[in-house]
Amino acid sequence: MKKILTVFVAAFLLVGCDDLFTPAIENNKQVSDGLEDPLYAEGILANAYTRNPYNSQSFNDVATDDAVTNQTSNSYLKMATGSWTSNNNPMDQWGSCKAAIHYINLFLTQVDQVSWVKDPVVNKMFCDRLKGEAYGLRAMFNFYMLQAHAGYTEDGRLMGVPIVEELEDETSNFNYPRNTFDECIQAIYDDVQRAEELLPLDYENISSDAEVPEVYRSEGANFSQYNIVFGNNFRSRMSGRIALAFRAKAALLAASPAFAEGSKGTWAEAADYNGEILDLIGGVAGLAAQGNTWYKNADEINSLTGGSNPQEMLWRNGKDATAYSLEQAQFPPSLYGSGQINPTQNLVDAFPMANGYPIDSPEAGYDDQNPYANRDPRLALYIVVNGTVMGTDGKTIDTSVDNTSNNDGLNKENGYSTRTGYYLRKHLREDVYLSSTTTTGQPHYSPRIRYTEIYLNYAEAANEAWGPTGTGLHGYSAYDVIKAIRQRAGIKDASGNDPYLESVKNDQAKMRDLIRNERRLELCFEGFRFWDLRRWNMDLNEPAKGIRISGGTYQVFNVESRTYNDFMRFGPIPYSEVVKFDALEQNKGWD
């Protein structure tokens, strides 16, 4: 993919180089050139791939009650504290996603005319696969646009984004009105169906002609030819399974409280689309045993080759073999990091006790002056608390205000210390070594879609559709999923049971709260909290809190206020777009 994109970009860089090439026109690649140059033609699609919002980690959690940052220039910090406008929107997906869809539509006008290979059967397979990828990608980008920009207009209609499925050129109108939210959801479903018809569920090599799909076997394709087009060399591309995941994500969005009143989305549909994916991996039995430590499973990460996925990953980014930049940004200062993302007391309090009870339950046994004892093991996995031992040298991190030995303590003046009394631990490889003179990196990768997300999607939707223990068309319930996730986390009482879960298993409202909390914990610092709060119609203005430790006492304090208006439950259409196009209605409340 990188080679394809390099060729594509290099071709466009030739445009305008009249002073270097004579005659310049002979060096300008045209779209029509792709008909005889398959590498260049595929580069058009590659351009869309590069615009995936989940190609990198944004840490937009600092716009929520889960985290703050010590970077005063951080755009999410400014957004959360009163600077969010329609022309200053860090959550914007409009320009990038629309550009990607433009390249996809351009590619779809060309793909059937390109000579991919000389063999007609293999050529047809290439056409089918690449069209399938394009439809799946278009569904993905429409989902991200919808999540970021759908909302109610001044007259109370729930609107989505303009659906553009034809190639735009210099003669196009461009002044499109927004389609309804339901029309956008249906467009995503339609593109997923097209992708599913053309793509394999997964890219895997086969070993016999009998395994070749009938549509190609009937035309004479053998398994070697099939592997050239649909084999495991393409594991990182859009597949049928990935496309189904975006349909499942869109269905959950449509059924959610913020959108349900104005859409046709149902919880049962969301449960079934997410359950369909889980059924492919054996339902609850398919939950990866090490899925909650995916970022630090060294043996698993080291063995990843050729686009292969760990059990936890439905889709992932590529592996960086010797990375350490994440640790430089997030390690505490005493480990030569900048401590940029600081989890809040709000999030710490969301982790239950090891026996499964919330910390405010009488049965919890929580001690606010010994707050990290006997807690959910995930707290120690994801967050650096006072007394955490971490790093290759086993350093004890002191976040108290009394710390005079280094800059790990609360609000030191170096600008790299914690503002909340906590540092980030999730995502980090603690076998990375940093010092003032040397660094030793380790392999890293990041998820695009984890199966744990799909499990939690299903649990949320199944609970709403059929109650905590209802299964619908599937053999497992919301209760079954949450039980498996909490067992994996190590939650249990002295008898090995989860009494809190058992106490809420017949109460839909309490199970709803538990599912939402499990989602908050399992998916923390992966870019979900902001979108979840909005689609649940929950309070965006919960102040970010921290812990001040001094003289052995623990005192909670407010670190940072949140400044959101009610209309901000739905993001804006970019100001520059509504100024240019009068058919484009803005969401209510935004200028």
Side-chain angles (χ1 to χ4, degrees):
M1 183 63 72
K2 289 181 180 177
K3 292 179 180 177
I4 292 169
L5 187 60
T6 299
V7 171
F8 179 71
V9 172
F12 274 92
L13 289 177
L14 294 176
V15 177
C17 296
D18 301 73
D19 56 333
L20 298 177
F21 298 92
T22 305
I25 191 64
E26 293 182 4
N27 295 285
N28 291 346
K29 280 281 190 179
Q30 306 298 316
V31 171
S32 59
D33 292 332
L35 302 182
E36 300 300 328
D37 185 347
L39 190 64
Y40 175 76
E42 196 172 358
I44 298 173
L45 187 62
N47 191 289
Y49 270 103
T50 66
R51 298 172 188 271
N52 186 336
Y54 275 77
N55 281 337
S56 61
Q57 176 60 264
S58 71
F59 289 117
N60 60 28
D61 310 76
V62 302
T64 77
D65 55 351
D66 273 2
V68 302
T69 179
N70 59 26
Q71 297 176 291
T72 58
S73 62
N74 184 281
S75 59
Y76 297 119
L77 180 153
K78 294 178 179 179
M79 169 187 167
T81 54
S83 297
W84 192 15
T85 66
S86 60
N87 60 2
N88 180 29
N89 180 12
M91 297 295 186
D92 177 60
Q93 296 293 335
W94 192 277
S96 179
C97 288
K98 279 187 67 69
I101 291 170
H102 172 78
Y103 281 108
I104 289 166
N105 291 340
L106 171 61
F107 179 78
L108 286 170
T109 66
Q110 302 292 310
V111 59
D112 286 325
Q113 303 171 60
V114 176
S115 177
W116 301 104
V117 293
K118 291 183 179 180
D119 185 291
V121 175
V122 179
N123 193 72
K124 173 177 171 50
M125 289 194 288
F126 268 116
C127 282
D128 286 352
R129 194 203 78 206
L130 291 165
K131 280 192 289 187
E133 288 181 49
Y135 289 128
L137 287 170
R138 193 166 67 185
M140 177 188 80
F141 286 114
N142 273 318
F143 167 76
Y144 286 130
M145 281 189 72
L146 197 63
Q147 178 180 250
H149 300 289
Y152 287 90
T153 56
E154 290 288 348
D155 58 1
R157 291 171 298 133
L158 179 58
M159 303 301 289
V161 298
I163 299 171
V164 181
E165 296 184 348
E166 302 295 331
L167 178 63
E168 297 172 294
D169 58 25
E170 66 276 6
T171 66
S172 298
N173 182 6
F174 295 105
N175 194 18
Y176 305 116
R178 296 165 65 185
N179 288 84
T180 67
F181 181 87
D182 280 333
E183 288 170 343
C184 292
I185 291 290
Q186 189 59 52
I188 292 170
Y189 289 177
D190 291 345
D191 271 343
V192 170
Q193 182 177 347
R194 295 181 185 110
E196 188 181 14
E197 291 170 354
L198 294 167
L199 294 174
L201 184 66
D202 302 296
Y203 295 106
E204 298 293 342
N205 286 345
I206 60 176
S207 57
S208 71
D209 292 348
E211 297 175 79
V212 176
E214 173 60 25
V215 65
Y216 302 125
R217 189 169 68 248
S218 64
E219 297 194 14
N222 60 47
F223 77 91
S224 295
Q225 292 172 316
Y226 180 87
N227 289 342
I228 290 171
V229 182
F230 294 107
N232 56 27
N233 284 339
F234 300 97
R235 282 173 173 164
S236 60
R237 301 287 193 98
M238 174 64 65
S239 68
R241 189 186 298 264
I242 296 166
L244 292 175
F246 279 101
R247 182 175 67 183
K249 288 159 73 77
L252 184 75
L253 184 73
S256 297
F259 301 98
E261 185 177 342
S263 80
K264 298 176 182 177
T266 68
W267 287 117
E269 183 177 64
D272 284 334
Y273 281 150
N274 282 278
E276 176 183 352
I277 298 169
L278 299 181
D279 290 345
L280 295 171
I281 59 171
V284 175
L287 183 71
Q290 293 184 298
N292 60 338
T293 55
W294 57 267
Y295 59 94
K296 58 180 288 184
N297 299 335
D299 290 343
E300 185 178 78
I301 296 171
N302 293 339
S303 66
L304 292 178
T305 58
S308 60
N309 277 322
Q311 185 182 354
E312 170 65 10
M313 293 299 147
L314 196 153
W315 199 21
R316 66 175 177 87
N317 287 312
K319 186 172 75 172
D320 190 331
T322 57
Y324 53 82
S325 61
L326 188 60
E327 287 70 26
Q328 283 183 323
Q330 305 303 342
F331 272 176
S334 66
L335 295 177
Y336 294 90
S338 300
Q340 292 177 359
I341 303 300
N342 306 152
T344 60
Q345 187 66 41
N346 315 55
L347 177 58
V348 170
D349 287 346
F351 287 88
M353 299 300 287
N355 63 14
Y357 283 98
I359 64 171
D360 58 358
S361 297
E363 303 90 342
Y366 175 70
D367 180 355
D368 63 5
Q369 294 305 304
N370 190 16
Y372 314 125
N374 302 317
R375 296 294 292 276
D376 178 342
R378 289 173 295 188
L379 175 59
L381 287 174
Y382 299 158
I383 296 175
V384 178
V385 305
N386 187 55
T388 292
V389 177
M390 68 182 303
T392 56
D393 296 330
K395 189 172 188 61
T396 299
I397 307 302
D398 180 358
T399 65
S400 72
V401 297
D402 304 327
N403 181 358
T404 58
S405 62
N406 58 48
N407 289 315
D408 291 346
L410 182 72
N411 286 329
K412 297 294 182 180
E413 294 181 359
N414 69 335
Y416 299 133
S417 66
T418 175
R419 297 175 59 210
T420 63
Y422 301 105
Y423 292 98
L424 181 68
R425 199 172 197 181
K426 191 176 186 180
H427 295 285
L428 306 182
R429 289 286 300 264
E430 291 179 41
D431 47 356
V432 164
Y433 176 77
L434 305 176
S435 76
S436 59
T437 59
T438 186
T439 58
T440 301
Q442 295 292 346
H444 291 67
Y445 75 94
S446 60
R448 288 174 175 163
I449 305 174
R450 289 173 56 200
Y451 274 109
T452 295
E453 177 197 348
I454 305 300
Y455 279 105
L456 290 163
N457 290 354
Y458 176 82
E460 180 181 340
N463 181 60
E464 301 297 339
W466 312 309
T469 58
T471 61
L473 300 174
H474 309 274
Y476 44 94
S477 65
Y479 161 80
D480 295 326
V481 168
I482 298 303
K483 181 178 181 179
I485 288 174
R486 282 164 68 91
Q487 284 180 338
R488 179 178 72 180
I491 290 177
K492 58 185 178 182
D493 66 5
S495 302
N497 300 315
D498 188 347
Y500 181 73
L501 175 61
E502 296 304 314
S503 74
V504 303
K505 67 181 292 185
N506 295 312
D507 187 317
Q508 186 183 50
K510 290 182 179 179
M511 182 62 81
R512 177 186 303 125
D513 291 341
L514 180 58
I515 291 168
R516 289 179 177 181
N517 197 67
E518 285 295 313
R519 185 179 181 92
R520 181 181 190 179
L521 305 184
E522 287 281 339
L523 302 180
C524 64
F525 307 110
E526 296 182 41
F528 287 91
R529 180 67 173 168
F530 178 77
W531 308 111
D532 286 342
L533 287 173
R534 292 173 70 208
R535 68 182 180 84
W536 291 333
N537 278 336
M538 293 182 70
D539 185 13
L540 297 173
N541 285 316
E542 182 70 25
K545 299 177 181 179
I547 193 78
R548 181 179 291 109
I549 307 169
S550 180
T553 63
Y554 293 72
Q555 181 182 6
V556 176
F557 70 102
N558 285 347
V559 177
E560 191 173 273
S561 297
R562 296 285 177 255
T563 309
Y564 292 108
N565 295 310
D566 285 344
F567 65 81
M568 292 176 175
R569 296 186 188 283
F570 304 97
I573 307 301
Y575 177 78
S576 60
E577 296 296 295
V578 295
V579 168
K580 287 185 293 187
F581 306 118
D582 58 13
L584 204 57
E585 294 179 78
Q586 181 61 277
N587 286 330
K588 184 178 180 179
W590 296 97
D591 294 330

